[in-house]
Amino acid sequence: MNIMQIMKQAQNVQAKLKATQEELSKMELVGEAGGGAVKIICDGQGKFKSIKLTSDAVNVDDEAREMLEDLISTAMNQASEKASKEMEAQMKKATGGLNIPGLF
């Protein structure tokens, strides 16, 4: 195999990784607890999208429930962003600063 074939294969892999990442970001995966009383939605990359609470999960009016959903969503997004930044920092350490497409 010559260097041109290797470069072509690397480009194909990079394109597939990008397409896969885009596909994963469009997915909606749901986790449920309490018989559906609490639902968390993430994309295929594990990024938090939303939380839904039924009135069975919290015994409050709709306005208070929505405020609680927003507070939980904000906290989860903050934690998710911190985790992503930490993963990127650790991957940069592991790869010696090389940008390897598809890793982060």
Side-chain angles (χ1 to χ4, degrees):
M1 188 177 290
N2 68 35
I3 190 72
M4 294 305 287
Q5 288 173 320
I6 293 171
M7 294 294 287
K8 183 71 174 169
Q9 283 183 329
Q11 288 174 339
N12 288 340
V13 168
Q14 186 175 4
K16 286 180 185 178
L17 285 172
K18 184 177 181 182
T20 299
Q21 287 176 336
E22 288 174 9
E23 186 177 319
L24 287 169
S25 72
K26 294 175 186 175
M27 289 180 175
E28 284 196 353
L29 306 168
V30 179
E32 295 185 36
V38 177
K39 291 183 181 181
I40 303 263
I41 300 171
C42 292
D43 67 16
Q45 295 174 322
K47 292 181 182 172
F48 170 76
K49 297 209 99 43
S50 69
I51 184 169
K52 296 294 175 203
L53 305 172
T54 67
S55 55
D56 293 336
V58 287
N59 192 12
V60 295
D61 62 28
D62 284 344
E63 188 175 317
R65 180 183 47 79
E66 288 174 9
M67 185 173 76
L68 180 59
E69 289 174 350
D70 288 344
L71 289 171
I72 294 169
S73 293
T74 298
M76 289 185 73
N77 277 325
Q78 190 178 79
S80 180
E81 286 174 24
K82 287 179 180 180
S84 292
K85 286 178 183 176
E86 182 63 24
M87 181 182 72
E88 185 175 338
Q90 294 297 323
M91 292 302 289
K92 281 184 180 178
K93 274 190 214 175
T95 62
L98 294 175
N99 183 10
I100 301 173
L103 287 183
F104 48 88

